[in-house]
Amino acid sequence: MGMIGGGRDSFIGDVHRKAASIDGMIELVCGAFSSSSEKSVKSGMDLYLQEDRCYGTFEEMILKEAELPENERMDFVAIVTPNHMHFEPAKMALENGFHVICDKPMTLTLKEAEELQSIVEKSGLLFALTHNYTGHPMVKQAKELVSNGDLGRIRKVQVQYLQGWLATSVEKTGQKQASWRTDPKRSGIGGALGDIGTHAENLVEYITGLKIEELAADLGVFGDGRTLDDDGNILLRLDNGAKGTMSISQIAVGEENNLAIKVYGQKGSIEWHQEEPNKLITHWLDEPVKIYTPNGNSLYPMALETSRIPAGHPEGYLEAFATIYKGFAKDILALINGEKDLEGQYPTVYDGLRGMKFIYGAVESNKNNSAWVKL
Amino acid sequence: MGMIGGGRDSFIGDVHRKAASIDGMIELVCGAFSSSSEKSVKSGMDLYLQEDRCYGTFEEMILKEAELPENERMDFVAIVTPNHMHFEPAKMALENGFHVICDKPMTLTLKEAEELQSIVEKSGLLFALTHNYTGHPMVKQAKELVSNGDLGRIRKVQVQYLQGWLATSVEKTGQKQASWRTDPKRSGIGGALGDIGTHAENLVEYITGLKIEELAADLGVFGDGRTLDDDGNILLRLDNGAKGTMSISQIAVGEENNLAIKVYGQKGSIEWHQEEPNKLITHWLDEPVKIYTPNGNSLYPMALETSRIPAGHPEGYLEAFATIYKGFAKDILALINGEKDLEGQYPTVYDGLRGMKFIYGAVESNKNNSAWVKL
Amino acid sequence: MGMIGGGRDSFIGDVHRKAASIDGMIELVCGAFSSSSEKSVKSGMDLYLQEDRCYGTFEEMILKEAELPENERMDFVAIVTPNHMHFEPAKMALENGFHVICDKPMTLTLKEAEELQSIVEKSGLLFALTHNYTGHPMVKQAKELVSNGDLGRIRKVQVQYLQGWLATSVEKTGQKQASWRTDPKRSGIGGALGDIGTHAENLVEYITGLKIEELAADLGVFGDGRTLDDDGNILLRLDNGAKGTMSISQIAVGEENNLAIKVYGQKGSIEWHQEEPNKLITHWLDEPVKIYTPNGNSLYPMALETSRIPAGHPEGYLEAFATIYKGFAKDILALINGEKDLEGQYPTVYDGLRGMKFIYGAVESNKNNSAWVKL
Amino acid sequence: MGMIGGGRDSFIGDVHRKAASIDGMIELVCGAFSSSSEKSVKSGMDLYLQEDRCYGTFEEMILKEAELPENERMDFVAIVTPNHMHFEPAKMALENGFHVICDKPMTLTLKEAEELQSIVEKSGLLFALTHNYTGHPMVKQAKELVSNGDLGRIRKVQVQYLQGWLATSVEKTGQKQASWRTDPKRSGIGGALGDIGTHAENLVEYITGLKIEELAADLGVFGDGRTLDDDGNILLRLDNGAKGTMSISQIAVGEENNLAIKVYGQKGSIEWHQEEPNKLITHWLDEPVKIYTPNGNSLYPMALETSRIPAGHPEGYLEAFATIYKGFAKDILALINGEKDLEGQYPTVYDGLRGMKFIYGAVESNKNNSAWVKL
């Protein structure tokens, strides 16, 4: 694995590296960690990389690595830069024969997303998007309960992703994470929408197997001097007639990463909370509440297979993230081994495009005083 | 107290009676429990009433009681009938000099509500509406945290009231509660909106001290053969610029009475769940999560005064309901004692009117494909 | 009902009155609320009693009431005094033909308890002890899960009752509750043991249907200047070979009324917490965790019958307490109606005797450096 | 790192490898994964090791590695075998100049533990024991709250470690984990005592900074045909006069890994649950309940430093385990760099010896019908 972005003071780069390492299938071999060549080398040295594989630019990394012998060069690129730096590296990596795993939202603009989709399709290479929350065993179990019909036809969805870290104008203090996320040039047209709304949108579509057909959004900009949304309240209509709400916020004081979802069918319902990810709460027409746990009783295979350790030993954020990397690595390995049937257990360019459509749809609806917009 | 409605197979009549009795201030002395005189007498006898004060009609009760000596006759009327039977008894009771406490929603139609408001105003008598959830000590504490400025300016609200008991078409089985609640003639133009949505609306306005200025509603009718909403997803805008969502449902399988609210200010936030009413969860910019409990540490007076028993001994639904009755009884007693300053610790006809406006606003918005409607 | 004790600044008297009133079956008609005749009258007047039925002593009350016509006089006596004032009033009431309901622990001494048992047996009258926690629907459900064999043979029990209100020496501040509870003359040889340990002991025996055969106790006296235990750690052996622990404390800072129990059988287990009494958490060999709720799905009859209001509307401490009173009232009514089969749904003099044996056994074990003592 | 044990069907070997890899400081370079040379090589190949560093015996590994150049050979040995195979490899590794990190309990017998202590002391090398639960940030915060005096003098402790996986006699089915844990030859004189009791004991001593001075144990053997304890109820007395209970079980049906601890001081108390490790619940004399979270507000440095990712993104079992490895690796690195001040942020041989004394003390007490035994 070669990494683009993720230098010394990056938060998400470190997460990607830890996640990639957990299952012992992936080794970081090179990186273009920073736009400054010097910083890139320093970051790489921190990580015990060879100095000559710590590159000053992603272009250099891609070209130099492509020249290395096949069994030496990186197998894929991990892109962990801010949003405006996703498309170009992804494009170039794919065009030079490297698989790509990329942070979300997929691109800066919808146009880029559409273009990237066609680049991926032409390339025949793998592209994964790190909607990491879909890696949790209990999210898998939820998906299975829906797809196996246990819940019956889905009628209602509630999803929220609430944070409070932008409740004050921390971007004015030089906080790096806040700075680019509140800057349209680096973040795109969505603020909270892109950063956390896309996770909420993806989780709904992943678990239900349905599409958000249309939405009506009322976005808020509460932070002093901000131009991008830091809060959003959204009505949802899914493509099977189900309805729902989405609430996202980065100004919800005191909330840490309160991503949660409820899905109600005709016969049963599920409830999952990211901050306590090892419980899946389910309700039923005629039975008591049932709670599933990773590696616990009565799980579907997909939930069992993604549980690493014995029941009652909590897995967390990094492990779920690692499950995305593991799925991606398995498919790369399968390709290397000449296998044809890939498992595809990770979000793809199509999920990335859905995310961008969601952002654009919500912004458009909000401009039109919350009129319904089809995605 | 004289009761109108609440005969043998009524659920809510029994609740009102238990709630009225808890604090030892109120005695049930008469009732018109049923439209059948015979049934009314039987219901009254079950309750150890005198046979001659078990009336066949509310008209009879009001007239006969009015003729009794002042120290013998009922002091007030409790109306616990279905919605279409609220207005006439309330009007007649008030016009005959009796205070009224009435179940919600206040009336069948908005017009009735407006008329009732002016009747109450003319009468100089007390009118209370049993939005019982505002009686919980932790709801009082939440209100105090807002009104004392601890949370700062309010920015975001999430409220939900989720039930699952109408997930199947139980009204077709002859279930009495379901039958009238799904019937526009007895319920009004709102289904879930009137039955539980008004509680959610009232709770938002009670805790925040703000008004819902406008809303955008997407209502659902999932039950087979129904005409009234049994589900709703609603965007809210409050009169200080705060935004929010409301989610209500009676088809949310397995949910019992999941009324919950979160209110986010600039400096702190509160979270309260009706099913675990003895916790108030609060989050803060720079402090750990704090949880308040009834009769626990660091409470505001209003929360302390409404806690009956030592901390850690849970009070529940009936006690909160009783707090509404107690507040009402205290004000009646104050009037009897010739006091001028009433405490007014209960929802009034103005809250009832807000509820009816909410129902009508949501129905109108829904008809216009979720366009914003001002209340 | 006539009440002995429970005057103006009593906590538990008010609880008994509220609990007795909830189900509309019991009316307070007289009382000897205080050892001062004047105070007793004042307390009675607060409660809207007739002045001539507010007595200065329990002896006066029992004698005077016994002289009243049968349909006028009180049907039973409720004793809500400190422990040292249980036996004499109970004895006299029974000997004068009145049923008795009494607060716990049953008596000041074990000897009194044994004597009271034989008095009750001779009297042919009803005697109930207010181990109120057994009135919770989810405690009933737990009992049913055991007695119906769902859990299999019981192997392990954990019970705790933790409070923190005596963490500092509040008895020195004149706090009335603390004052008598830390005084051996009024409390007996057990401090926390009698006040809360007996509840824990009773809960174990009620739910499991087993007896605590022997115990090994290590008691603590942490409060400055105290002589009675304010903390206890106890090993338990039940009469079927099961083992367990009991932890009780009144110096567990910040704990409110943290009574909780877990019972493990060969096939399943139950967990119940008094502070969240409307959940019964169960674990199973091969099934997911299941949570039962009052009036929720899949309950045994005894749990259903003791749930007053719809699922999801919490009942609390007073309602569970009321269930004891209701059971007692039903049996008195049955006797009045000449019925022979009583339901007996309340703790009796035998439970009271068990409680006293528990206190004495624990004190003895503690004196012998935690040697095992048979009860 | 070179690993001893942890071949293909080992559970704990995989955990150690994942934990060691998370922070990017440790690389697995060799192993003696199995007593069969062939299996060892296969296991090593699964892990992408060089074939010639997959050894057939630990003796071979230690000797061969010791011959490699200093910058090539392993820096330390990780011992992840069953208990009876801890002492010999640890001894030989230390005597050949390798630091050792070892699974718990430290040895098969108390004698071995005492001998190992003196070997470590003589060696001048580092020895770490993987009491992994002390790696959780909220356990660190708990320790800091005690050591900084926030809780005041400690008075009471409750600790439990409850599992249900041995509720039936799974060892008879050939389940490998159950097989050696129920076999005295491989497990030692303690069953549940050694496997999970030592974790509970260590957690008490780690958080409180106190020693368990004496204990009184009642052990159970519920599994059919077993000789070692699978359940235990234990009274504790700490060396400052505090008292407490410990409950451990492997037959507590349905429990997964329910390790939990409560510590009560004069001024405050803490409560922590391993299954929800990212919350530290605290109670206070005069303040509301406060809940701390990793990377959340108001933490002590030790808790902050061990939190890897932003607040609200749960860390779990592997991360806490990794924190032990990280502390160990930091000290090895410090030694390599010639630094003198080591941080020592991991359990040591002295903790291991305490654990063995705990096992032996509990077994002795149990033999003497739960008499108190000094550790």
Side-chain angles (χ1 to χ4, degrees):
Chain A
M1 165 167 99
M3 181 167 276
I4 297 171
R8 276 183 167 182
D9 47 0
S10 155
F11 139 63
I12 202 68
D14 191 48
V15 164
H16 278 255
R17 286 189 295 264
K18 284 179 162 54
S21 78
I22 284 177
D23 291 307
M25 298 179 73
I26 297 168
E27 192 185 357
L28 179 69
V29 294
C30 62
F33 300 105
S34 169
S35 47
S36 139
S37 174
E38 193 188 344
K39 277 191 195 165
S40 184
V41 169
K42 277 186 185 162
S43 295
M45 302 305 286
D46 287 353
L47 302 165
Y48 309 100
L49 293 192
Q50 292 173 229
E51 190 170 342
D52 62 350
R53 293 179 84 176
C54 301
Y55 302 99
T57 64
F58 72 83
E59 292 91 342
E60 187 191 347
M61 179 172 96
I62 291 169
L63 296 176
K64 289 261 179 73
E65 290 285 321
E67 287 167 13
L68 293 176
E70 207 169 323
N71 67 341
E72 251 181 65
R73 72 178 176 231
M74 63 181 184
D75 288 307
F76 67 91
V77 163
I79 300 174
V80 302
T81 45
N83 307 347
H84 69 301
M85 288 287 293
H86 288 180
F87 177 72
E88 288 299 339
K91 180 173 186 286
M92 186 171 169
L94 290 161
E95 290 176 350
N96 282 274
F98 294 105
H99 307 292
V100 170
I101 187 165
C102 181
D103 213 279
K104 41 47 58 189
M106 191 164 73
T107 49
L108 189 73
T109 66
L110 178 55
K111 196 162 159 285
E112 283 180 358
E114 288 165 340
E115 201 175 330
L116 188 56
Q117 178 189 337
S118 92
I119 294 168
V120 171
E121 287 173 348
K122 271 179 227 153
S123 74
L125 294 164
L126 302 182
F127 182 93
L129 198 73
T130 52
H131 278 305
N132 48 291
Y133 303 110
T134 59
H136 282 286
M138 291 302 95
V139 170
K140 305 284 187 195
Q141 176 72 4
K143 183 183 179 59
E144 292 267 36
L145 285 167
V146 175
S147 65
N148 285 279
D150 297 289
L151 303 193
R153 185 182 176 82
I154 301 308
R155 289 171 159 184
K156 186 177 180 78
V157 169
Q158 271 190 351
V159 69
Q160 63 177 26
Y161 197 147
L162 303 173
Q163 300 178 328
W165 68 294
L166 295 180
T168 59
S169 297
V170 285
E171 66 269 30
K172 296 183 180 167
T173 68
Q175 213 260 37
K176 196 183 164 184
Q177 303 302 325
S179 167
W180 75 257
R181 278 185 177 80
T182 55
D183 174 7
K185 285 184 198 146
R186 289 177 282 172
S187 199
I189 66 170
L193 276 176
D195 196 30
I196 55 177
T198 51
H199 276 309
E201 166 270 324
N202 179 258
L203 197 61
V204 167
E205 299 198 342
Y206 181 74
I207 289 178
T208 64
L210 301 170
K211 298 290 175 209
I212 298 174
E213 193 168 82
E214 50 182 346
L215 55 72
D218 189 30
L219 305 179
V221 186
F222 287 98
D224 198 31
R226 270 179 209 149
T227 55
L228 291 179
D229 60 285
D230 51 22
D231 183 80
N233 300 295
I234 305 177
L235 301 178
L236 305 176
R237 289 176 183 160
L238 307 192
D239 61 357
N240 78 332
K243 293 166 180 288
T245 54
M246 178 188 293
S247 175
I248 60 173
S249 189
Q250 298 187 310
I251 56 93
V253 173
E255 294 283 8
E256 297 183 338
N257 275 285
N258 192 347
L259 169 64
I261 187 167
K262 295 187 194 179
V263 177
Y264 298 92
Q266 282 179 304
K267 299 186 290 181
S269 65
I270 65 96
E271 176 177 349
W272 182 78
H273 296 261
Q274 188 273 147
E275 295 188 354
E276 294 189 9
N278 298 302
K279 271 190 210 170
L280 182 69
I281 304 165
T282 64
H283 291 83
W284 306 94
L285 268 185
D286 300 313
E287 291 176 279
V289 174
K290 293 183 190 171
I291 298 182
Y292 297 92
T293 57
N295 260 332
N297 291 328
S298 311
L299 296 184
Y300 278 107
M302 200 158 68
L304 269 179
E305 287 157 14
T306 47
S307 304
R308 285 173 182 78
I309 42 179
H313 276 141
E315 298 196 38
Y317 175 79
L318 291 175
E319 287 82 2
F321 217 114
T323 295
I324 306 297
Y325 265 95
K326 188 181 185 178
F328 186 56
K330 282 172 82 171
D331 274 5
I332 292 177
L333 215 56
L335 284 180
I336 291 173
N337 295 336
E339 292 167 26
K340 287 191 175 167
D341 286 346
L342 303 186
E343 295 186 4
Q345 290 299 319
Y346 44 86
T348 66
V349 73
Y350 303 103
D351 297 291
L353 183 57
R354 287 294 299 165
M356 295 308 295
K357 285 185 177 172
F358 163 77
I359 297 171
Y360 275 69
V363 168
E364 185 189 338
S365 172
N366 184 60
K367 272 188 199 151
N368 292 298
N369 201 22
S370 316
W372 287 99
V373 170
K374 288 210 187 302
L375 297 193
Chain B
M1 167 167 97
M3 181 166 277
I4 297 171
R8 277 185 167 180
D9 47 0
S10 154
F11 139 63
I12 202 68
D14 191 49
V15 164
H16 278 254
R17 286 189 295 265
K18 285 179 161 54
S21 78
I22 284 177
D23 291 306
M25 299 178 72
I26 297 167
E27 191 185 358
L28 180 68
V29 295
C30 62
F33 299 104
S34 169
S35 48
S36 140
S37 173
E38 194 189 345
K39 276 192 195 163
S40 183
V41 169
K42 277 186 184 160
S43 294
M45 302 306 285
D46 287 352
L47 302 165
Y48 309 102
L49 293 192
Q50 292 173 228
E51 191 170 343
D52 62 349
R53 293 179 84 177
C54 301
Y55 303 99
T57 64
F58 72 84
E59 291 91 342
E60 187 192 347
M61 179 173 96
I62 291 170
L63 295 177
K64 289 261 179 74
E65 290 286 320
E67 287 167 13
L68 293 176
E70 208 169 322
N71 66 343
E72 250 180 66
R73 71 178 176 232
M74 64 180 184
D75 288 307
F76 68 90
V77 163
I79 300 173
V80 302
T81 45
N83 307 347
H84 69 301
M85 289 288 291
H86 288 180
F87 177 73
E88 288 299 338
K91 181 173 186 285
M92 186 171 170
L94 289 162
E95 290 176 350
N96 282 274
F98 295 106
H99 307 292
V100 169
I101 187 165
C102 181
D103 214 280
K104 40 49 56 189
M106 191 164 73
T107 49
L108 190 72
T109 66
L110 178 56
K111 196 161 160 285
E112 284 180 357
E114 288 164 338
E115 201 176 330
L116 188 56
Q117 178 189 335
S118 90
I119 293 168
V120 171
E121 287 173 348
K122 270 179 229 152
S123 74
L125 294 164
L126 302 182
F127 182 93
L129 198 74
T130 51
H131 278 305
N132 49 291
Y133 302 111
T134 60
H136 282 285
M138 291 301 96
V139 170
K140 305 284 187 195
Q141 175 72 3
K143 182 182 180 59
E144 291 268 35
L145 285 167
V146 176
S147 65
N148 285 280
D150 297 287
L151 303 193
R153 185 182 176 82
I154 302 307
R155 289 170 159 185
K156 186 178 181 78
V157 168
Q158 271 190 352
V159 69
Q160 63 176 27
Y161 197 148
L162 303 173
Q163 301 178 327
W165 67 294
L166 295 180
T168 59
S169 297
V170 284
E171 66 270 29
K172 296 182 180 167
T173 69
Q175 212 259 36
K176 197 184 163 184
Q177 303 301 326
S179 165
W180 75 258
R181 278 184 177 81
T182 55
D183 174 6
K185 286 183 198 146
R186 289 177 282 173
S187 199
I189 67 170
L193 276 175
D195 196 29
I196 56 177
T198 51
H199 276 308
E201 167 270 325
N202 180 258
L203 196 61
V204 168
E205 298 198 343
Y206 181 74
I207 289 178
T208 64
L210 301 170
K211 297 290 175 209
I212 298 174
E213 194 168 81
E214 50 182 347
L215 55 73
D218 189 30
L219 305 179
V221 185
F222 289 97
D224 198 32
R226 269 178 211 150
T227 55
L228 291 178
D229 61 284
D230 51 22
D231 184 80
N233 300 295
I234 305 178
L235 301 178
L236 305 176
R237 289 177 183 159
L238 307 192
D239 61 358
N240 78 332
K243 294 167 180 287
T245 54
M246 178 188 292
S247 175
I248 60 173
S249 189
Q250 299 187 309
I251 56 94
V253 173
E255 294 283 8
E256 296 181 339
N257 276 285
N258 193 346
L259 169 64
I261 187 167
K262 296 188 194 178
V263 176
Y264 298 92
Q266 282 179 303
K267 299 187 291 180
S269 65
I270 64 96
E271 176 177 349
W272 181 78
H273 296 261
Q274 188 274 144
E275 295 188 355
E276 293 189 9
N278 298 302
K279 272 191 210 168
L280 183 69
I281 304 164
T282 64
H283 291 83
W284 307 95
L285 268 185
D286 300 313
E287 291 176 279
V289 174
K290 293 183 191 172
I291 298 181
Y292 297 92
T293 56
N295 260 331
N297 291 328
S298 310
L299 295 184
Y300 277 107
M302 200 158 68
L304 269 179
E305 287 157 14
T306 47
S307 304
R308 286 174 182 78
I309 42 178
H313 277 141
E315 298 196 37
Y317 175 79
L318 291 175
E319 287 81 2
F321 217 115
T323 294
I324 306 297
Y325 264 95
K326 188 181 184 180
F328 186 57
K330 282 172 82 172
D331 274 6
I332 292 177
L333 215 56
L335 283 180
I336 290 173
N337 295 336
E339 293 167 24
K340 286 191 175 166
D341 286 347
L342 303 186
E343 296 186 3
Q345 291 298 320
Y346 44 86
T348 66
V349 73
Y350 303 103
D351 297 290
L353 183 57
R354 288 293 300 164
M356 295 309 295
K357 284 185 177 171
F358 163 78
I359 297 171
Y360 276 68
V363 168
E364 186 189 337
S365 171
N366 184 59
K367 272 188 198 153
N368 292 297
N369 201 23
S370 315
W372 287 99
V373 170
K374 289 210 187 302
L375 296 195
Chain C
M1 167 168 98
M3 181 167 277
I4 297 171
R8 275 185 169 180
D9 48 0
S10 153
F11 139 63
I12 201 69
D14 190 49
V15 164
H16 278 255
R17 287 190 294 267
K18 284 180 162 53
S21 78
I22 284 177
D23 291 307
M25 298 178 73
I26 297 168
E27 192 184 358
L28 179 70
V29 294
C30 62
F33 300 105
S34 169
S35 48
S36 140
S37 174
E38 192 189 344
K39 274 192 195 164
S40 184
V41 169
K42 276 187 186 161
S43 295
M45 302 306 285
D46 287 353
L47 301 165
Y48 309 102
L49 292 192
Q50 292 175 229
E51 191 169 344
D52 63 350
R53 294 179 83 177
C54 303
Y55 304 98
T57 64
F58 72 83
E59 292 91 343
E60 187 192 348
M61 179 172 95
I62 291 170
L63 296 177
K64 289 261 178 74
E65 289 286 321
E67 288 167 12
L68 293 177
E70 205 169 325
N71 67 342
E72 250 179 65
R73 70 177 177 233
M74 64 181 184
D75 289 307
F76 68 92
V77 163
I79 301 173
V80 302
T81 45
N83 307 347
H84 68 302
M85 289 286 293
H86 288 180
F87 176 73
E88 288 300 338
K91 181 173 187 285
M92 184 171 172
L94 289 162
E95 290 176 350
N96 282 274
F98 295 106
H99 308 291
V100 170
I101 186 164
C102 182
D103 213 278
K104 37 51 57 189
M106 190 164 74
T107 50
L108 190 72
T109 66
L110 178 55
K111 195 161 159 286
E112 283 180 358
E114 288 164 341
E115 201 176 330
L116 189 55
Q117 179 189 335
S118 91
I119 295 169
V120 171
E121 286 173 349
K122 271 179 228 151
S123 73
L125 294 165
L126 303 182
F127 182 92
L129 198 74
T130 51
H131 278 306
N132 48 290
Y133 302 111
T134 60
H136 283 285
M138 291 302 94
V139 170
K140 305 285 186 194
Q141 175 71 3
K143 183 182 179 60
E144 292 268 35
L145 285 166
V146 176
S147 64
N148 285 280
D150 297 291
L151 303 193
R153 186 181 175 83
I154 301 307
R155 291 171 157 185
K156 187 179 181 76
V157 168
Q158 272 191 352
V159 69
Q160 63 175 26
Y161 196 148
L162 304 173
Q163 299 179 328
W165 67 293
L166 295 180
T168 60
S169 297
V170 285
E171 65 271 30
K172 296 181 181 169
T173 67
Q175 211 259 38
K176 196 184 164 186
Q177 303 302 326
S179 166
W180 76 257
R181 279 185 177 81
T182 55
D183 174 6
K185 287 184 198 144
R186 289 177 282 174
S187 199
I189 66 170
L193 276 175
D195 196 30
I196 55 177
T198 51
H199 277 309
E201 167 269 326
N202 179 258
L203 197 60
V204 168
E205 299 198 341
Y206 181 74
I207 288 177
T208 64
L210 302 170
K211 298 289 175 210
I212 297 174
E213 194 168 80
E214 49 182 346
L215 55 73
D218 189 29
L219 305 179
V221 185
F222 289 98
D224 198 31
R226 271 181 208 148
T227 55
L228 291 178
D229 61 284
D230 51 22
D231 184 78
N233 300 295
I234 306 176
L235 301 179
L236 306 176
R237 289 177 184 160
L238 307 192
D239 61 357
N240 77 332
K243 294 165 179 288
T245 55
M246 179 188 293
S247 175
I248 60 172
S249 190
Q250 298 187 310
I251 55 92
V253 173
E255 294 283 7
E256 296 183 339
N257 275 284
N258 192 348
L259 168 64
I261 187 167
K262 296 187 196 181
V263 176
Y264 298 92
Q266 282 179 304
K267 299 187 291 181
S269 65
I270 65 95
E271 175 178 351
W272 181 78
H273 297 261
Q274 188 272 146
E275 295 187 354
E276 292 188 11
N278 298 302
K279 272 191 211 171
L280 182 70
I281 304 165
T282 65
H283 290 84
W284 306 94
L285 269 185
D286 300 313
E287 291 176 280
V289 175
K290 292 183 192 173
I291 298 181
Y292 297 92
T293 56
N295 261 332
N297 291 329
S298 311
L299 296 183
Y300 276 108
M302 200 158 68
L304 268 179
E305 287 157 14
T306 47
S307 306
R308 286 173 182 80
I309 41 179
H313 277 140
E315 298 196 38
Y317 176 79
L318 292 174
E319 287 81 2
F321 218 115
T323 294
I324 307 298
Y325 265 95
K326 188 181 184 179
F328 186 57
K330 282 172 83 172
D331 274 5
I332 292 178
L333 214 56
L335 285 179
I336 291 174
N337 295 335
E339 292 167 25
K340 286 189 175 166
D341 287 345
L342 302 186
E343 295 186 3
Q345 291 298 320
Y346 43 86
T348 68
V349 73
Y350 303 101
D351 298 291
L353 183 57
R354 289 291 302 163
M356 295 309 296
K357 286 185 176 170
F358 163 79
I359 296 171
Y360 276 68
V363 168
E364 185 189 338
S365 171
N366 184 59
K367 273 188 197 151
N368 292 297
N369 200 23
S370 316
W372 287 101
V373 170
K374 287 212 188 303
L375 296 194
Chain D
M1 168 168 98
M3 181 167 277
I4 297 171
R8 276 186 168 180
D9 47 1
S10 154
F11 139 63
I12 202 69
D14 191 48
V15 163
H16 278 254
R17 287 189 294 265
K18 284 180 161 55
S21 78
I22 284 178
D23 290 307
M25 298 179 73
I26 297 167
E27 192 184 357
L28 179 70
V29 295
C30 62
F33 300 105
S34 169
S35 48
S36 139
S37 174
E38 192 189 344
K39 274 193 196 165
S40 184
V41 168
K42 275 187 185 162
S43 294
M45 302 306 285
D46 287 353
L47 301 165
Y48 309 103
L49 293 191
Q50 292 173 229
E51 191 168 345
D52 62 350
R53 293 180 82 178
C54 302
Y55 304 99
T57 64
F58 72 84
E59 292 91 344
E60 187 192 347
M61 180 172 94
I62 291 170
L63 296 176
K64 288 261 179 74
E65 289 286 320
E67 289 167 11
L68 292 178
E70 204 169 325
N71 67 342
E72 250 180 65
R73 71 179 177 231
M74 63 181 184
D75 288 306
F76 69 91
V77 162
I79 300 173
V80 302
T81 45
N83 308 346
H84 69 302
M85 288 286 293
H86 288 181
F87 177 73
E88 288 300 339
K91 182 173 187 286
M92 185 171 171
L94 289 162
E95 290 176 349
N96 283 274
F98 295 106
H99 308 292
V100 169
I101 187 164
C102 181
D103 213 278
K104 38 51 55 189
M106 190 164 73
T107 49
L108 189 73
T109 67
L110 179 56
K111 195 160 159 287
E112 283 180 358
E114 287 163 341
E115 202 177 328
L116 189 55
Q117 179 189 335
S118 91
I119 294 168
V120 170
E121 286 172 349
K122 271 180 227 152
S123 74
L125 294 165
L126 302 181
F127 182 92
L129 198 74
T130 50
H131 278 306
N132 48 290
Y133 302 111
T134 59
H136 282 285
M138 291 301 95
V139 170
K140 305 284 186 195
Q141 175 72 3
K143 183 182 180 59
E144 291 267 36
L145 286 167
V146 176
S147 65
N148 285 280
D150 297 292
L151 304 193
R153 187 182 173 82
I154 301 307
R155 291 169 157 186
K156 187 179 181 76
V157 168
Q158 271 191 353
V159 69
Q160 64 175 26
Y161 197 148
L162 304 173
Q163 300 178 329
W165 67 293
L166 295 180
T168 59
S169 297
V170 285
E171 65 271 30
K172 296 182 180 168
T173 67
Q175 212 260 37
K176 196 184 165 185
Q177 303 301 327
S179 165
W180 75 258
R181 278 184 177 81
T182 55
D183 174 7
K185 287 186 197 144
R186 289 177 283 173
S187 198
I189 66 170
L193 276 175
D195 196 29
I196 55 178
T198 51
H199 277 308
E201 167 269 326
N202 178 257
L203 197 60
V204 168
E205 299 198 342
Y206 181 74
I207 288 177
T208 64
L210 302 170
K211 297 290 175 210
I212 298 173
E213 194 168 80
E214 50 181 347
L215 54 73
D218 189 30
L219 305 179
V221 186
F222 288 99
D224 198 31
R226 273 182 206 146
T227 56
L228 292 178
D229 61 284
D230 51 21
D231 184 79
N233 300 295
I234 305 177
L235 300 178
L236 305 176
R237 289 178 183 159
L238 307 192
D239 60 358
N240 77 333
K243 293 165 180 287
T245 54
M246 180 188 292
S247 175
I248 60 173
S249 190
Q250 299 186 309
I251 56 93
V253 173
E255 294 284 7
E256 296 183 337
N257 276 284
N258 192 348
L259 168 64
I261 187 167
K262 295 187 195 181
V263 177
Y264 298 92
Q266 282 180 303
K267 299 188 291 181
S269 65
I270 64 95
E271 175 178 351
W272 181 78
H273 297 262
Q274 188 271 147
E275 295 188 354
E276 292 189 11
N278 298 302
K279 271 191 211 170
L280 182 70
I281 303 165
T282 65
H283 290 84
W284 306 95
L285 268 185
D286 300 313
E287 291 176 280
V289 175
K290 293 183 191 171
I291 298 181
Y292 297 92
T293 56
N295 261 331
N297 291 328
S298 310
L299 296 184
Y300 277 108
M302 200 158 68
L304 268 180
E305 287 157 13
T306 47
S307 305
R308 286 173 181 78
I309 42 178
H313 276 141
E315 298 196 37
Y317 175 79
L318 292 175
E319 287 81 4
F321 218 114
T323 294
I324 307 298
Y325 265 95
K326 188 181 184 178
F328 186 58
K330 282 172 82 172
D331 274 5
I332 292 177
L333 214 56
L335 284 180
I336 291 174
N337 295 336
E339 293 167 24
K340 286 190 174 164
D341 286 345
L342 302 186
E343 296 186 2
Q345 291 299 319
Y346 44 86
T348 67
V349 73
Y350 303 102
D351 298 291
L353 183 57
R354 289 291 302 164
M356 295 309 295
K357 285 185 176 170
F358 164 79
I359 296 171
Y360 275 69
V363 167
E364 185 189 338
S365 171
N366 184 59
K367 273 187 198 151
N368 292 297
N369 201 23
S370 315
W372 287 99
V373 170
K374 287 212 188 301
L375 295 195

